[in-house]
Amino acid sequence: EVQLVESGGGLVQPGGSLRLSCSAPGFTLSSYSMNWVRQAPGKGLEWVAYISITSGTIYYADSVKGRFTISRDNAENSLYLQMNSLRDEDTAVYYCVRLLQLWASPHYYYGLDVWGQGTTVTVSS
Amino acid sequence: EIVLTQSPGTLSLSPGERATLSCRASQNVGSNYLAWYQQKPGQAPRLLIYGASSRATGIPDRFSGSGSGSDFTLIITRLEPEDFAVYYCQQFGPSPPYTFGQGTRLEI
């Protein structure tokens, strides 16, 4: 079964750090670009970060730029999100998500096709 | 940053009826860069439509997407009880951020 499994969430004080991990039992994560998406309690979805297959291209939402770092270890079949200088507004469920990228000439087509179950990060004193 | 505005915010319908959900972008997105998701309470979102009109694997044909440029539509014909959920559109336009719309809640 194709699945993603996140871990590393928890309660942290404002200004603190946390590292989220995502593993991919059932498929080869190194064959896909990956993303982190978050959802604050009772709110909508917010795209957080993207990393290409080789880690050569990385993007962040402005809300986390300079504080969060996305990385991957293809040998370990794992994805990570290092979160520093955490704020109250970073409280959310964080999802590890696979990018579907299909080529149908003359375009690529995109979607987020495999989602983890999410890990909860709570930033509070 | 491309802003996606979904309407209506809440849509109240009955099983068997047809639902029409709208997603409007603040600038041209390109039809190959628009996706739709369904999210039920306590669950992760599920990809329904990519490339504005292509159904993802396992998605029933009562779900259809259309549109191009900056106006996109998700139609659900013959609503089933399990279709009542929150629906989000997302764009993968020329550059990040890959923004989501604020969501449409489809309720009975």
Side-chain angles (χ1 to χ4, degrees):
Chain A
E1 180 189 1
V2 174
Q3 60 175 330
L4 291 164
V5 180
E6 303 97 336
S7 60
L11 174 63
V12 60
Q13 293 188 335
S17 298
L18 214 53
R19 188 193 197 207
L20 305 184
S21 300
C22 172
S23 65
F27 75 95
T28 303
L29 188 143
S30 60
S31 298
Y32 297 88
S33 296
M34 297 295 296
N35 297 264
W36 288 96
V37 173
R38 69 183 180 183
Q39 187 168 35
K43 302 298 184 182
L45 301 171
E46 180 185 15
W47 171 82
V48 172
Y50 160 93
I51 186 167
S52 64
I53 291 172
T54 63
S55 303
T57 300
I58 288 174
Y59 300 126
Y60 297 99
D62 286 345
S63 57
V64 306
K65 201 172 295 182
R67 302 187 299 121
F68 289 13
T69 302
I70 188 172
S71 62
R72 64 192 302 161
D73 185 335
N74 287 340
E76 294 293 323
N77 215 37
S78 294
L79 176 73
Y80 305 100
L81 186 67
Q82 176 66 44
M83 304 186 295
N84 298 330
S85 303
L86 283 161
R87 306 167 178 167
D88 290 352
E89 56 265 32
D90 295 318
T91 294
V93 174
Y94 285 75
Y95 295 101
C96 167
V97 196
R98 188 176 84 173
L99 179 68
L100 170 70
Q101 192 172 354
L102 294 177
W103 171 252
S105 183
H107 298 295
Y108 273 106
Y109 294 81
Y110 299 94
L112 300 179
D113 70 333
V114 179
W115 295 65
Q117 84 287 352
T119 187
T120 300
V121 172
T122 303
V123 184
S124 175
S125 54
Chain B
E1 174 178 324
I2 296 176
V3 176
L4 297 180
T5 302
Q6 293 187 239
S7 61
T10 301
L11 185 58
S12 299
L13 293 170
S14 299
E17 292 191 300
R18 172 187 174 107
T20 302
L21 287 67
S22 174
C23 176
R24 178 164 292 178
S26 59
Q27 55 188 277
N28 193 321
V29 169
S31 59
N32 51 312
Y33 294 138
L34 197 286
W36 289 93
Y37 305 87
Q38 176 194 67
Q39 187 178 32
K40 298 179 181 179
Q43 296 184 17
R46 174 174 71 146
L47 176 66
L48 297 175
I49 301 286
Y50 63 92
S53 61
S54 297
R55 276 187 299 276
T57 302
I59 302 303
D61 61 7
R62 64 179 181 274
F63 291 90
S64 64
S66 64
S68 63
S70 60
D71 283 298
F72 300 89
T73 301
L74 175 70
I75 292 176
I76 313 170
T77 58
R78 303 180 311 277
L79 283 165
E80 299 284 345
E82 61 266 28
D83 298 336
F84 292 90
V86 180
Y87 292 83
Y88 296 94
C89 56
Q90 183 193 22
Q91 62 81 22
F92 296 88
S95 59
Y98 300 135
T99 48
F100 289 91
Q102 83 280 16
T104 290
R105 180 177 305 276
L106 177 57
E107 63 177 28
I108 295 178

